[in-house]
Coordinates of all heavy atoms in Angstrom, one line a residue:
M31 N -0.9 4.2 21.1 CA -0.5 5.0 19.9 C 0.7 5.9 20.2 O 1.6 6.0 19.4 CB -1.6 5.9 19.4 CG -1.3 6.6 18.1 SD -2.7 7.6 17.6 CE -2.7 8.9 18.8
Y48 N 21.7 12.4 13.2 CA 22.8 11.9 13.9 C 23.6 10.9 13.1 O 23.0 10.2 12.3 CB 22.4 11.3 15.3 CG 22.1 12.3 16.3 CD1 20.8 12.9 16.4 CD2 23.0 12.7 17.3 CE1 20.5 13.9 17.3 CE2 22.7 13.6 18.3 CZ 21.4 14.2 18.3 OH 21.1 15.2 19.2
E49 N 24.9 10.8 13.3 CA 25.7 9.8 12.8 C 26.1 8.8 13.9 O 26.5 9.3 15.0 CB 27.0 10.3 12.2 CG 27.8 9.3 11.4 CD 27.2 9.0 10.0 OE1 26.5 9.8 9.4 OE2 27.3 7.8 9.6
S55 N 26.9 8.5 19.3 CA 26.2 9.2 18.2 C 26.6 10.6 18.2 O 26.8 11.3 19.3 CB 24.7 9.1 18.3 OG 24.2 9.6 19.6
F57 N 25.9 14.6 16.4 CA 24.9 15.4 15.6 C 25.6 15.9 14.3 O 26.7 16.5 14.4 CB 24.5 16.6 16.5 CG 23.5 17.5 15.8 CD1 22.1 17.1 15.7 CD2 23.9 18.7 15.2 CE1 21.2 17.9 15.0 CE2 23.0 19.5 14.5 CZ 21.6 19.1 14.5
I86 N 1.6 0.0 -9.6 CA 0.7 -0.7 -8.8 C -0.6 0.0 -8.6 O -1.7 -0.6 -8.7 CB 1.3 -1.0 -7.4 CG1 2.5 -2.0 -7.5 CG2 0.3 -1.6 -6.4 CD1 2.0 -3.4 -8.0
T99 N -17.2 -3.2 -12.2 CA -18.2 -2.7 -13.0 C -18.8 -3.8 -14.0 O -19.9 -3.7 -14.4 CB -17.7 -1.6 -13.9 OG1 -16.5 -1.9 -14.6 CG2 -17.4 -0.3 -13.0
S106 N -26.2 -12.7 -7.7 CA -25.4 -12.6 -6.4 C -24.4 -13.8 -6.2 O -23.4 -13.6 -5.6 CB -26.4 -12.5 -5.2 OG -27.2 -13.7 -5.2
K107 N -24.8 -15.0 -6.6 CA -23.9 -16.1 -6.5 C -22.6 -15.9 -7.3 O -21.5 -16.3 -6.9 CB -24.6 -17.4 -6.8 CG -25.7 -17.8 -5.9 CD -26.3 -19.1 -6.2 CE -27.4 -19.6 -5.2 NZ -28.0 -20.9 -5.6
V109 N -21.4 -13.0 -8.3 CA -20.6 -11.9 -7.7 C -19.8 -12.5 -6.5 O -18.6 -12.2 -6.3 CB -21.5 -10.8 -7.2 CG1 -20.7 -9.7 -6.4 CG2 -22.2 -10.1 -8.4
V120 N -5.1 -12.5 -1.6 CA -4.9 -11.6 -0.5 C -4.7 -12.3 0.8 O -4.0 -11.9 1.8 CB -6.1 -10.6 -0.4 CG1 -5.9 -9.6 0.8 CG2 -6.2 -9.9 -1.7
A149 N 8.5 -23.2 -25.7 CA 8.0 -22.3 -26.7 C 9.1 -21.8 -27.6 O 8.9 -21.0 -28.5 CB 7.2 -21.2 -26.1
K152 N 14.8 -19.7 -25.1 CA 15.8 -20.3 -24.2 C 16.5 -19.3 -23.3 O 16.6 -18.1 -23.5 CB 16.9 -21.0 -25.1 CG 16.3 -22.1 -26.1 CD 15.7 -23.3 -25.3 CE 15.2 -24.3 -26.3 NZ 14.6 -25.5 -25.6
V173 N -0.8 -9.0 -8.3 CA -1.6 -10.2 -8.1 C -2.0 -10.4 -6.7 O -3.2 -10.8 -6.4 CB -0.8 -11.5 -8.6 CG1 -1.6 -12.8 -8.3 CG2 -0.6 -11.4 -10.2
D193 N -32.1 3.7 -7.7 CA -32.9 4.8 -8.3 C -32.1 5.4 -9.4 O -32.6 5.7 -10.5 CB -33.3 5.8 -7.3 CG -34.2 5.2 -6.2 OD1 -34.7 4.1 -6.4 OD2 -34.4 5.9 -5.2
I209 N -22.4 3.3 -16.4 CA -21.1 3.0 -15.7 C -20.3 4.3 -15.7 O -19.7 4.7 -14.7 CB -20.4 1.8 -16.3 CG1 -21.1 0.5 -16.0 CG2 -19.0 1.8 -15.8 CD1 -20.5 -0.7 -16.7
N228 N -3.0 2.2 -1.2 CA -2.0 1.4 -2.0 C -0.7 2.1 -2.1 O 0.4 1.4 -2.1 CB -2.6 1.2 -3.4 CG -3.5 0.0 -3.5 OD1 -3.1 -1.1 -3.6 ND2 -4.8 0.3 -3.5
T253 N 14.5 -0.5 -3.8 CA 13.5 0.5 -3.5 C 14.0 1.2 -2.2 O 14.9 0.9 -1.6 CB 12.1 -0.1 -3.3 OG1 12.1 -1.0 -2.2 CG2 11.7 -0.8 -4.6
A262 N 20.2 0.0 7.6 CA 20.0 -0.2 9.1 C 20.6 -1.5 9.5 O 21.3 -1.6 10.6 CB 18.5 -0.2 9.3
S273 N 17.1 8.7 8.0 CA 16.8 9.7 7.0 C 15.9 9.3 5.9 O 15.0 10.0 5.4 CB 18.2 10.2 6.4 OG 19.0 10.7 7.4
I281 N 6.7 11.6 2.2 CA 6.0 11.2 0.9 C 4.6 10.7 1.2 O 3.6 11.0 0.6 CB 6.9 10.2 0.2 CG1 8.1 10.9 -0.4 CG2 6.1 9.7 -1.0 CD1 9.1 10.0 -1.0
I287 N -3.0 13.7 1.7 CA -3.7 14.9 1.6 C -5.0 14.8 0.7 O -6.0 15.2 1.1 CB -2.9 16.1 1.2 CG1 -1.8 16.4 2.3 CG2 -3.7 17.3 0.9 CD1 -0.8 17.4 2.0

Side-chain angles (χ1 to χ4, degrees):
M31 185 179 71
Y48 285 81
E49 189 73 35
S55 58
F57 181 79
I86 290 296
T99 53
S106 60
K107 292 183 178 179
V109 174
V120 180
K152 303 292 184 181
V173 170
D193 300 344
I209 291 173
N228 277 283
T253 60
S273 302
I281 292 171
I287 293 175

